[in-house]
Coordinates of all heavy atoms in Angstrom, one line a residue:
M1 N 23.5 23.6 -21.6 CA 23.6 23.6 -20.2 C 25.0 23.0 -19.9 O 25.5 22.1 -20.5 CB 22.6 22.7 -19.6 CG 21.2 23.2 -19.7 SD 20.0 22.1 -18.9 CE 20.0 22.7 -17.3
R2 N 25.6 23.6 -18.9 CA 27.0 23.2 -18.5 C 27.0 21.7 -18.0 O 27.9 21.0 -18.4 CB 27.5 24.1 -17.5 CG 28.9 23.8 -17.1 CD 29.4 24.9 -16.1 NE 30.6 24.3 -15.5 CZ 31.1 24.8 -14.4 NH1 30.5 25.8 -13.7 NH2 32.1 24.3 -13.8
I3 N 26.0 21.3 -17.2 CA 26.0 20.0 -16.6 C 25.9 18.9 -17.7 O 26.5 17.9 -17.7 CB 24.9 19.8 -15.6 CG1 25.0 18.5 -14.9 CG2 23.5 19.9 -16.2 CD1 26.1 18.4 -13.9
V4 N 25.2 19.2 -18.8 CA 25.0 18.3 -19.9 C 26.4 18.1 -20.6 O 26.7 16.9 -20.8 CB 24.0 18.8 -20.9 CG1 24.0 18.0 -22.2 CG2 22.6 18.9 -20.3
K5 N 27.1 19.1 -20.8 CA 28.5 19.0 -21.4 C 29.4 18.1 -20.5 O 30.2 17.4 -21.0 CB 29.1 20.3 -21.6 CG 28.4 21.1 -22.8 CD 29.0 22.5 -23.0 CE 28.3 23.2 -24.0 NZ 28.8 24.6 -24.2
E6 N 29.2 18.3 -19.2 CA 30.1 17.5 -18.3 C 29.7 16.0 -18.2 O 30.5 15.2 -18.0 CB 30.0 18.1 -16.9 CG 30.7 19.4 -16.8 CD 30.6 20.0 -15.4 OE1 30.2 19.3 -14.4 OE2 30.9 21.2 -15.3
L7 N 28.4 15.7 -18.5 CA 28.0 14.3 -18.4 C 28.3 13.5 -19.7 O 28.6 12.4 -19.7 CB 26.5 14.2 -18.2 CG 26.0 14.6 -16.8 CD1 24.5 14.6 -16.7 CD2 26.6 13.8 -15.7
V8 N 28.2 14.2 -20.9 CA 28.4 13.5 -22.2 C 29.8 13.0 -22.2 O 30.8 13.8 -22.0 CB 28.0 14.5 -23.3 CG1 28.5 13.9 -24.7 CG2 26.6 14.8 -23.4
G9 N 30.0 11.8 -22.6 CA 31.3 11.2 -22.7 C 31.7 10.4 -21.5 O 32.6 9.6 -21.5
K10 N 31.0 10.5 -20.3 CA 31.4 9.8 -19.1 C 30.9 8.3 -19.3 O 29.9 8.0 -19.9 CB 30.7 10.4 -17.9 CG 31.3 11.7 -17.4 CD 30.8 12.0 -16.1 CE 31.3 13.3 -15.6 NZ 32.7 13.2 -15.0
E11 N 31.8 7.4 -18.7 CA 31.4 6.0 -18.7 C 30.4 5.7 -17.7 O 30.5 6.3 -16.6 CB 32.7 5.2 -18.5 CG 32.5 3.7 -18.6 CD 33.8 2.9 -18.5 OE1 34.8 3.5 -18.1 OE2 33.7 1.7 -18.8
V12 N 29.4 4.9 -18.0 CA 28.4 4.5 -17.0 C 28.6 3.1 -16.6 O 28.8 2.1 -17.4 CB 27.0 4.6 -17.7 CG1 25.9 4.2 -16.7 CG2 26.8 6.0 -18.1
L13 N 28.7 2.9 -15.3 CA 28.9 1.5 -14.7 C 27.7 1.1 -13.9 O 27.1 1.9 -13.2 CB 30.1 1.6 -13.7 CG 31.4 2.1 -14.3 CD1 32.5 2.1 -13.2 CD2 31.9 1.1 -15.4
G14 N 27.3 -0.2 -14.0 CA 26.3 -0.7 -13.2 C 26.8 -0.9 -11.8 O 28.0 -0.7 -11.5
N15 N 26.0 -1.1 -10.8 CA 26.4 -1.3 -9.4 C 27.4 -2.4 -9.3 O 28.1 -2.5 -8.3 CB 25.3 -1.4 -8.5 CG 24.5 -2.7 -8.6 OD1 24.4 -3.2 -9.7 ND2 24.1 -3.2 -7.5
D16 N 27.4 -3.3 -10.2 CA 28.3 -4.5 -10.2 C 29.7 -4.1 -10.9 O 30.5 -5.0 -11.2 CB 27.7 -5.7 -10.9 CG 27.1 -5.4 -12.2 OD1 27.2 -4.3 -12.7 OD2 26.5 -6.3 -12.8
V17 N 29.9 -2.9 -11.2 CA 31.1 -2.3 -11.9 C 31.3 -2.8 -13.3 O 32.4 -2.9 -13.7 CB 32.3 -2.5 -11.0 CG1 33.5 -1.6 -11.4 CG2 32.0 -2.2 -9.5
I18 N 30.2 -3.2 -14.0 CA 30.4 -3.6 -15.4 C 30.0 -2.4 -16.2 O 29.0 -1.7 -16.0 CB 29.4 -4.8 -15.7 CG1 29.9 -6.0 -14.9 CG2 29.4 -5.0 -17.2 CD1 29.1 -7.2 -15.1
S19 N 30.8 -2.1 -17.2 CA 30.6 -0.9 -18.0 C 29.3 -1.2 -18.9 O 29.2 -2.2 -19.5 CB 31.8 -0.7 -19.0 OG 31.5 0.4 -19.8
M20 N 28.5 -0.1 -18.9 CA 27.2 -0.2 -19.7 C 27.4 0.6 -21.0 O 26.6 0.6 -21.9 CB 26.1 0.3 -18.9 CG 25.9 -0.5 -17.6 SD 24.4 -0.1 -16.7 CE 23.2 -0.8 -17.8
G21 N 28.4 1.5 -21.0 CA 28.7 2.3 -22.2 C 29.0 3.7 -21.8 O 29.4 4.0 -20.6
K22 N 28.8 4.6 -22.7 CA 29.1 6.1 -22.4 C 27.9 6.9 -22.7 O 27.1 6.6 -23.6 CB 30.3 6.5 -23.3 CG 31.6 5.9 -22.8 CD 32.8 6.5 -23.5 CE 34.1 5.9 -23.1 NZ 35.2 6.5 -23.6
V23 N 27.8 8.0 -22.0 CA 26.7 9.0 -22.1 C 26.9 9.7 -23.5 O 28.0 10.2 -23.7 CB 26.7 10.0 -21.0 CG1 25.6 11.0 -21.2 CG2 26.5 9.3 -19.6
V24 N 25.9 9.6 -24.3 CA 25.9 10.3 -25.6 C 25.0 11.5 -25.7 O 25.1 12.3 -26.5 CB 25.7 9.3 -26.8 CG1 26.8 8.3 -27.0 CG2 24.3 8.7 -26.7
D25 N 24.0 11.5 -24.8 CA 23.0 12.6 -24.7 C 22.3 12.6 -23.4 O 22.4 11.7 -22.6 CB 22.0 12.4 -25.9 CG 21.4 13.7 -26.3 OD1 21.7 14.8 -25.7 OD2 20.5 13.7 -27.2
V26 N 21.7 13.7 -23.1 CA 21.0 13.9 -21.9 C 19.6 14.5 -22.2 O 19.5 15.4 -23.0 CB 21.7 14.9 -20.9 CG1 21.0 15.1 -19.6 CG2 23.1 14.3 -20.7
E27 N 18.5 13.9 -21.6 CA 17.2 14.5 -21.8 C 16.9 15.4 -20.6 O 17.0 15.0 -19.5 CB 16.1 13.4 -21.8 CG 16.2 12.5 -23.1 CD 15.2 11.4 -23.1 OE1 14.5 11.2 -22.1 OE2 15.0 10.8 -24.2
V28 N 16.6 16.7 -21.0 CA 16.4 17.7 -20.0 C 14.9 18.2 -20.1 O 14.5 18.5 -21.2 CB 17.4 18.9 -20.2 CG1 17.1 20.0 -19.2 CG2 18.8 18.4 -20.1
D29 N 14.3 18.4 -19.0 CA 13.0 19.1 -19.0 C 13.3 20.6 -18.9 O 13.6 21.1 -17.8 CB 12.2 18.6 -17.8 CG 10.8 19.3 -17.7 OD1 10.6 20.3 -18.3 OD2 9.9 18.7 -17.0
L30 N 13.2 21.3 -20.0 CA 13.5 22.7 -20.1 C 12.5 23.6 -19.3 O 12.9 24.6 -18.8 CB 13.6 23.1 -21.5 CG 14.7 22.5 -22.3 CD1 14.6 22.9 -23.8 CD2 16.1 22.8 -21.8
E31 N 11.3 23.1 -19.2 CA 10.3 23.9 -18.4 C 10.6 24.0 -16.9 O 10.5 25.0 -16.3 CB 8.9 23.3 -18.6 CG 7.8 24.2 -18.2 CD 6.5 23.6 -18.7 OE1 6.3 23.5 -19.9 OE2 5.7 23.2 -17.8
D32 N 11.0 22.8 -16.4 CA 11.3 22.8 -14.9 C 12.8 22.7 -14.6 O 13.2 22.7 -13.5 CB 10.7 21.5 -14.3 CG 9.1 21.6 -14.4 OD1 8.6 22.7 -14.3 OD2 8.5 20.6 -14.5
N33 N 13.7 22.8 -15.7 CA 15.1 22.8 -15.5 C 15.6 21.6 -14.7 O 16.4 21.8 -13.7 CB 15.6 24.1 -15.0 CG 15.5 25.2 -16.0 OD1 15.7 25.0 -17.2 ND2 15.3 26.4 -15.5
F34 N 15.3 20.4 -15.1 CA 15.9 19.2 -14.4 C 16.2 18.1 -15.4 O 15.6 18.1 -16.5 CB 15.1 18.7 -13.2 CG 13.8 18.0 -13.6 CD1 13.8 16.6 -13.8 CD2 12.6 18.6 -13.8 CE1 12.7 15.9 -14.2 CE2 11.5 18.0 -14.1 CZ 11.5 16.6 -14.3
I35 N 17.1 17.3 -15.1 CA 17.5 16.2 -16.0 C 16.6 15.0 -15.8 O 16.4 14.6 -14.7 CB 19.0 15.8 -15.8 CG1 19.9 17.0 -16.0 CG2 19.4 14.6 -16.6 CD1 21.4 16.7 -15.7
E36 N 16.0 14.6 -16.9 CA 15.1 13.4 -16.9 C 15.8 12.1 -17.0 O 15.5 11.2 -16.3 CB 14.0 13.6 -18.0 CG 13.1 14.7 -17.8 CD 12.0 14.8 -18.9 OE1 12.2 14.2 -19.9 OE2 11.0 15.5 -18.7
S37 N 16.7 12.0 -17.9 CA 17.4 10.8 -18.2 C 18.7 11.0 -18.9 O 18.9 12.1 -19.5 CB 16.5 9.8 -18.9 OG 16.1 10.3 -20.2
I38 N 19.5 10.0 -19.0 CA 20.7 10.0 -19.8 C 20.6 8.9 -20.8 O 20.0 7.9 -20.6 CB 22.0 9.8 -18.9 CG1 22.0 8.4 -18.2 CG2 22.2 10.9 -18.0 CD1 23.3 8.1 -17.4
I39 N 21.2 9.2 -22.0 CA 21.2 8.2 -23.1 C 22.6 7.6 -23.1 O 23.6 8.4 -23.3 CB 20.9 8.9 -24.5 CG1 19.6 9.8 -24.3 CG2 20.7 7.9 -25.5 CD1 18.4 9.1 -24.0
V40 N 22.7 6.3 -23.0 CA 23.9 5.6 -23.0 C 24.1 4.8 -24.2 O 23.2 4.0 -24.5 CB 24.0 4.7 -21.7 CG1 25.3 4.0 -21.7 CG2 23.9 5.6 -20.5
S41 N 25.2 5.0 -24.9 CA 25.5 4.2 -26.1 C 26.3 2.9 -25.6 O 27.3 3.1 -24.9 CB 26.4 5.0 -27.1 OG 26.8 4.2 -28.1
K42 N 25.9 1.8 -26.1 CA 26.6 0.5 -25.7 C 27.9 0.4 -26.3 O 28.8 -0.3 -25.9 CB 25.7 -0.7 -26.0 CG 24.5 -0.7 -25.1 CD 23.7 -2.0 -25.4 CE 22.4 -2.1 -24.7 NZ 21.7 -3.3 -25.0
G43 N 28.2 1.1 -27.4 CA 29.5 1.1 -28.0 C 29.8 -0.1 -28.8 O 29.0 -0.9 -29.2
G44 N 31.1 -0.4 -28.9 CA 31.6 -1.5 -29.6 C 31.9 -1.3 -31.1 O 31.7 -0.2 -31.6
I45 N 32.4 -2.2 -31.7 CA 32.9 -2.1 -33.1 C 31.7 -1.8 -34.1 O 31.8 -1.1 -35.0 CB 33.7 -3.3 -33.6 CG1 34.3 -3.1 -35.0 CG2 32.8 -4.6 -33.6 CD1 35.4 -2.2 -35.0
Q46 N 30.5 -2.5 -33.8 CA 29.4 -2.3 -34.7 C 29.0 -0.8 -34.7 O 28.6 -0.3 -35.7 CB 28.2 -3.2 -34.2 CG 28.5 -4.6 -34.4 CD 27.3 -5.5 -33.9 OE1 26.5 -5.1 -33.1 NE2 27.2 -6.7 -34.5
E47 N 29.0 -0.2 -33.5 CA 28.5 1.2 -33.5 C 29.5 2.1 -34.2 O 29.2 3.1 -34.9 CB 28.3 1.7 -32.1 CG 27.7 3.1 -32.1 CD 27.2 3.5 -30.8 OE1 26.7 2.7 -30.1 OE2 27.4 4.7 -30.4
S48 N 30.8 1.8 -34.1 CA 31.8 2.7 -34.7 C 31.8 2.6 -36.2 O 32.1 3.5 -36.9 CB 33.2 2.3 -34.2 OG 33.6 1.0 -34.6
L49 N 31.2 1.5 -36.7 CA 31.0 1.3 -38.2 C 29.6 1.7 -38.6 O 29.3 1.5 -39.7 CB 31.3 -0.2 -38.5 CG 32.7 -0.7 -38.3 CD1 32.8 -2.2 -38.6 CD2 33.7 0.1 -39.2
N50 N 28.8 2.2 -37.6 CA 27.4 2.6 -37.9 C 26.6 1.5 -38.4 O 25.6 1.6 -39.2 CB 27.4 3.8 -38.9 CG 27.8 5.1 -38.3 OD1 27.6 5.3 -37.1 ND2 28.4 5.9 -39.0
I51 N 26.9 0.2 -38.0 CA 26.1 -0.9 -38.3 C 24.9 -1.1 -37.4 O 23.8 -1.4 -37.8 CB 27.0 -2.2 -38.3 CG1 28.1 -2.1 -39.3 CG2 26.1 -3.5 -38.5 CD1 29.1 -3.3 -39.2
S52 N 25.1 -0.8 -36.1 CA 24.1 -1.0 -35.1 C 24.1 0.2 -34.2 O 25.1 0.7 -33.8 CB 24.3 -2.2 -34.4 OG 23.4 -2.3 -33.3
K53 N 22.9 0.7 -33.9 CA 22.8 1.8 -32.9 C 22.1 1.3 -31.7 O 20.8 1.2 -31.7 CB 22.0 2.9 -33.6 CG 22.2 4.3 -33.0 CD 23.4 4.9 -33.6 CE 23.3 6.4 -33.4 NZ 24.6 7.0 -33.0
S54 N 22.8 0.9 -30.7 CA 22.1 0.4 -29.5 C 22.3 1.3 -28.3 O 23.5 1.6 -28.0 CB 22.7 -1.0 -29.1 OG 24.1 -1.0 -29.1
E55 N 21.2 1.8 -27.8 CA 21.3 2.8 -26.8 C 20.4 2.4 -25.6 O 19.4 1.7 -25.8 CB 20.9 4.2 -27.3 CG 21.8 4.8 -28.4 CD 21.3 6.1 -28.9 OE1 20.1 6.4 -28.8 OE2 22.1 6.8 -29.4
L56 N 20.7 2.9 -24.5 CA 19.9 2.7 -23.3 C 19.4 4.1 -22.8 O 20.2 5.0 -22.8 CB 20.7 2.1 -22.1 CG 21.3 0.7 -22.4 CD1 22.3 0.3 -21.2 CD2 20.2 -0.3 -22.4
V57 N 18.2 4.1 -22.4 CA 17.7 5.4 -21.7 C 17.6 5.1 -20.2 O 16.8 4.2 -19.8 CB 16.3 5.8 -22.3 CG1 15.8 7.0 -21.6 CG2 16.4 6.0 -23.8
I58 N 18.4 5.8 -19.5 CA 18.4 5.5 -18.0 C 17.8 6.7 -17.3 O 18.4 7.8 -17.4 CB 19.9 5.2 -17.6 CG1 20.4 4.0 -18.3 CG2 19.9 5.1 -16.1 CD1 21.9 3.7 -18.1
P59 N 16.8 6.5 -16.5 CA 16.2 7.6 -15.7 C 17.2 8.2 -14.8 O 18.0 7.4 -14.2 CB 15.0 7.0 -15.0 CG 14.7 5.7 -15.7 CD 16.0 5.3 -16.3
F60 N 17.2 9.5 -14.6 CA 18.2 10.1 -13.8 C 18.2 9.7 -12.3 O 19.2 9.6 -11.7 CB 18.1 11.7 -13.9 CG 19.3 12.4 -13.4 CD1 20.4 12.4 -14.1 CD2 19.3 13.1 -12.2 CE1 21.6 13.1 -13.7 CE2 20.4 13.7 -11.7 CZ 21.5 13.8 -12.5
D61 N 17.0 9.3 -11.9 CA 16.9 8.8 -10.5 C 17.5 7.5 -10.2 O 17.6 7.0 -9.1 CB 15.5 8.9 -9.9 CG 14.5 8.0 -10.7 OD1 14.9 7.4 -11.7 OD2 13.4 7.9 -10.3
M62 N 18.0 6.8 -11.3 CA 18.7 5.5 -11.2 C 20.2 5.7 -11.0 O 20.9 4.8 -10.8 CB 18.5 4.7 -12.4 CG 17.1 4.1 -12.6 SD 16.6 3.1 -11.2 CE 17.8 1.8 -11.4
I63 N 20.7 7.0 -11.0 CA 22.1 7.3 -10.8 C 22.4 7.4 -9.3 O 21.7 8.1 -8.6 CB 22.5 8.6 -11.5 CG1 22.3 8.4 -13.0 CG2 23.9 9.0 -11.2 CD1 22.5 9.6 -13.9
N64 N 23.4 6.6 -8.9 CA 23.9 6.6 -7.5 C 24.9 7.7 -7.3 O 24.8 8.5 -6.4 CB 24.4 5.3 -7.2 CG 24.7 5.1 -5.7 OD1 24.2 5.8 -4.9 ND2 25.6 4.2 -5.4
K65 N 26.0 7.7 -8.1 CA 27.0 8.7 -8.0 C 27.5 9.2 -9.3 O 27.5 8.4 -10.3 CB 28.2 8.1 -7.2 CG 27.9 7.8 -5.8 CD 29.1 7.2 -5.1 CE 28.8 6.8 -3.7 NZ 29.9 6.3 -3.0
I66 N 28.0 10.4 -9.3 CA 28.6 11.0 -10.6 C 30.0 11.5 -10.2 O 30.1 12.4 -9.3 CB 27.8 12.1 -11.2 CG1 26.4 11.6 -11.6 CG2 28.5 12.7 -12.4 CD1 25.4 12.7 -12.1
G67 N 31.0 11.0 -10.8 CA 32.4 11.5 -10.6 C 33.1 11.4 -11.9 O 32.5 11.8 -12.9
D68 N 34.2 10.7 -11.9 CA 34.9 10.5 -13.2 C 34.1 9.5 -14.1 O 34.1 9.6 -15.3 CB 36.3 9.9 -13.0 CG 37.3 10.8 -12.4 OD1 37.0 12.0 -12.5 OD2 38.3 10.4 -11.8
K69 N 33.3 8.7 -13.4 CA 32.4 7.7 -14.0 C 31.0 7.9 -13.3 O 30.9 8.4 -12.2 CB 32.9 6.3 -13.9 CG 34.2 6.1 -14.5 CD 34.7 4.7 -14.4 CE 36.1 4.5 -14.8 NZ 36.4 4.6 -16.2
I70 N 30.0 7.4 -14.0 CA 28.7 7.4 -13.4 C 28.3 6.0 -12.9 O 28.4 5.1 -13.7 CB 27.6 7.9 -14.5 CG1 27.9 9.4 -14.9 CG2 26.2 7.8 -13.9 CD1 27.1 9.9 -16.0
I71 N 27.9 5.9 -11.7 CA 27.6 4.6 -11.1 C 26.1 4.6 -10.8 O 25.6 5.5 -10.2 CB 28.4 4.4 -9.8 CG1 29.9 4.4 -10.1 CG2 28.0 3.0 -9.2 CD1 30.8 4.4 -8.9
L72 N 25.5 3.5 -11.3 CA 24.0 3.4 -11.1 C 23.7 2.7 -9.8 O 24.5 2.0 -9.2 CB 23.5 2.5 -12.3 CG 23.7 3.1 -13.7 CD1 23.1 2.1 -14.7 CD2 23.1 4.5 -13.8
K73 N 22.5 2.9 -9.4 CA 21.9 2.3 -8.2 C 21.7 0.8 -8.4 O 21.5 0.4 -9.6 CB 20.6 2.9 -7.8 CG 20.8 4.4 -7.3 CD 19.4 4.9 -6.9 CE 19.5 6.4 -6.5 NZ 18.2 6.9 -6.3
D74 N 21.6 0.1 -7.3 CA 21.2 -1.3 -7.4 C 19.8 -1.5 -7.7 O 18.9 -0.8 -7.2 CB 21.5 -2.0 -6.1 CG 21.4 -3.5 -6.1 OD1 21.3 -4.1 -7.2 OD2 21.4 -4.1 -5.0
V75 N 19.4 -2.3 -8.7 CA 18.0 -2.5 -9.0 C 17.6 -3.8 -8.4 O 18.1 -4.9 -8.6 CB 17.8 -2.6 -10.6 CG1 16.4 -2.9 -10.9 CG2 18.3 -1.3 -11.2
F76 N 16.6 -3.7 -7.5 CA 16.1 -4.9 -6.8 C 15.2 -5.7 -7.7 O 14.6 -5.2 -8.7 CB 15.4 -4.5 -5.6 CG 16.2 -3.8 -4.6 CD1 16.1 -2.4 -4.5 CD2 17.2 -4.4 -3.8 CE1 16.9 -1.7 -3.6 CE2 18.0 -3.7 -2.9 CZ 17.9 -2.4 -2.8
D77 N 15.0 -7.0 -7.4 CA 14.2 -7.9 -8.2 C 12.8 -7.4 -8.4 O 12.3 -7.5 -9.5 CB 14.1 -9.3 -7.6 CG 15.5 -10.0 -7.7 OD1 16.3 -9.7 -8.6 OD2 15.7 -10.9 -6.9
E78 N 12.2 -6.8 -7.4 CA 10.8 -6.3 -7.5 C 10.8 -5.1 -8.5 O 9.8 -5.0 -9.2 CB 10.2 -6.0 -6.2 CG 11.0 -4.9 -5.4 CD 10.6 -4.9 -4.0 OE1 10.6 -5.9 -3.3 OE2 10.2 -3.7 -3.5
D79 N 11.8 -4.3 -8.5 CA 11.9 -3.2 -9.5 C 12.0 -3.8 -10.9 O 11.4 -3.2 -11.8 CB 13.1 -2.3 -9.2 CG 13.0 -1.5 -7.9 OD1 11.8 -1.3 -7.5 OD2 14.0 -1.1 -7.3
L80 N 12.7 -4.8 -11.1 CA 12.8 -5.4 -12.4 C 11.5 -6.0 -12.9 O 11.1 -5.8 -14.0 CB 13.8 -6.6 -12.4 CG 15.3 -6.2 -12.3 CD1 16.2 -7.4 -12.2 CD2 15.7 -5.4 -13.6
V81 N 10.7 -6.6 -12.0 CA 9.4 -7.1 -12.3 C 8.5 -6.0 -12.7 O 7.8 -6.0 -13.7 CB 8.8 -7.9 -11.1 CG1 7.4 -8.2 -11.4 CG2 9.6 -9.2 -10.9
Q82 N 8.5 -4.9 -12.0 CA 7.7 -3.7 -12.3 C 8.1 -3.1 -13.6 O 7.2 -2.8 -14.4 CB 7.8 -2.7 -11.2 CG 6.9 -1.4 -11.5 CD 7.1 -0.4 -10.4 OE1 7.8 -0.6 -9.4 NE2 6.5 0.7 -10.6
M83 N 9.4 -3.0 -13.9 CA 9.9 -2.5 -15.2 C 9.4 -3.4 -16.3 O 9.0 -2.9 -17.4 CB 11.4 -2.3 -15.1 CG 11.8 -1.2 -14.2 SD 13.6 -1.2 -14.0 CE 14.2 -0.7 -15.6
E84 N 9.5 -4.7 -16.1 CA 9.1 -5.6 -17.2 C 7.6 -5.5 -17.5 O 7.2 -5.5 -18.6 CB 9.4 -7.1 -16.8 CG 10.9 -7.4 -16.8 CD 11.2 -8.7 -16.2 OE1 10.3 -9.4 -15.7 OE2 12.4 -9.1 -16.4
E85 N 6.8 -5.3 -16.4 CA 5.4 -5.1 -16.6 C 5.1 -3.8 -17.4 O 4.2 -3.8 -18.3 CB 4.6 -5.1 -15.3 CG 4.6 -6.4 -14.6 CD 4.1 -6.4 -13.2 OE1 3.8 -5.3 -12.7 OE2 4.0 -7.5 -12.5
E86 N 5.8 -2.8 -17.0 CA 5.6 -1.5 -17.7 C 6.0 -1.6 -19.2 O 5.4 -1.0 -20.1 CB 6.4 -0.4 -17.0 CG 5.9 0.0 -15.7 CD 6.8 1.0 -14.9 OE1 7.8 1.4 -15.5 OE2 6.4 1.3 -13.8
I87 N 7.1 -2.3 -19.5 CA 7.5 -2.5 -20.9 C 6.5 -3.3 -21.6 O 6.1 -2.9 -22.8 CB 8.9 -3.2 -20.9 CG1 10.0 -2.3 -20.4 CG2 9.2 -3.7 -22.3 CD1 11.3 -3.0 -20.2
E88 N 5.9 -4.3 -21.0 CA 4.9 -5.1 -21.7 C 3.6 -4.2 -22.0 O 3.0 -4.3 -23.0 CB 4.5 -6.3 -20.9 CG 5.5 -7.4 -20.9 CD 5.9 -7.9 -22.2 OE1 5.0 -8.1 -23.1 OE2 7.1 -8.0 -22.5
D89 N 3.3 -3.4 -21.0 CA 2.1 -2.4 -21.2 C 2.4 -1.5 -22.4 O 1.5 -1.2 -23.2 CB 1.9 -1.6 -20.0 CG 1.2 -2.4 -18.9 OD1 0.7 -3.5 -19.2 OD2 1.3 -2.0 -17.7
L90 N 3.6 -1.0 -22.5 CA 4.0 -0.1 -23.5 C 4.0 -0.8 -24.9 O 3.5 -0.2 -25.9 CB 5.4 0.5 -23.3 CG 5.5 1.5 -22.2 CD1 7.0 1.9 -21.9 CD2 4.7 2.8 -22.5
K91 N 4.5 -2.0 -24.9 CA 4.5 -2.8 -26.2 C 3.0 -3.0 -26.7 O 2.8 -3.0 -27.9 CB 5.2 -4.2 -26.0 CG 6.7 -4.1 -25.9 CD 7.3 -5.4 -25.7 CE 8.8 -5.4 -25.7 NZ 9.3 -6.8 -25.4
S92 N 2.1 -3.3 -25.7 CA 0.7 -3.6 -26.1 C 0.1 -2.3 -26.7 O -0.9 -2.4 -27.4 CB -0.1 -4.1 -24.9 OG -0.2 -3.2 -23.9
Q93 N 0.6 -1.2 -26.3 CA 0.0 0.1 -26.8 C 0.5 0.4 -28.2 O -0.2 1.2 -28.8 CB 0.4 1.3 -25.8 CG -0.3 1.1 -24.5 CD 0.2 2.2 -23.5 OE1 0.8 3.1 -23.9 NE2 -0.2 2.1 -22.2
L94 N 1.5 -0.2 -28.6 CA 2.1 0.1 -30.0 C 1.3 -0.6 -31.0 O 0.7 -1.1 -31.5 CB 3.5 -0.3 -30.0 CG 4.5 0.4 -29.2 CD1 5.9 -0.2 -29.3 CD2 4.6 1.9 -29.5

């Protein structure tokens, strides 16, 4: 997909303008033809040496703007609490 090629390599910034890394992959729902999430590599010297592979999976609805860089939406405290609860639920299922 053309949009995937345009997203890969773009820098991702939090709403506080702190770099979160670069897009290394995009998860696409091929059945419905929409982007589900972007995979962001945190980068750094460790990754360039293949010592550590640290990636973030960011849901596409968390993206505020896409231009030269990708800017994420502001995450409110209650959203963080809900996300933490969901993570704990997922951990308990493992």
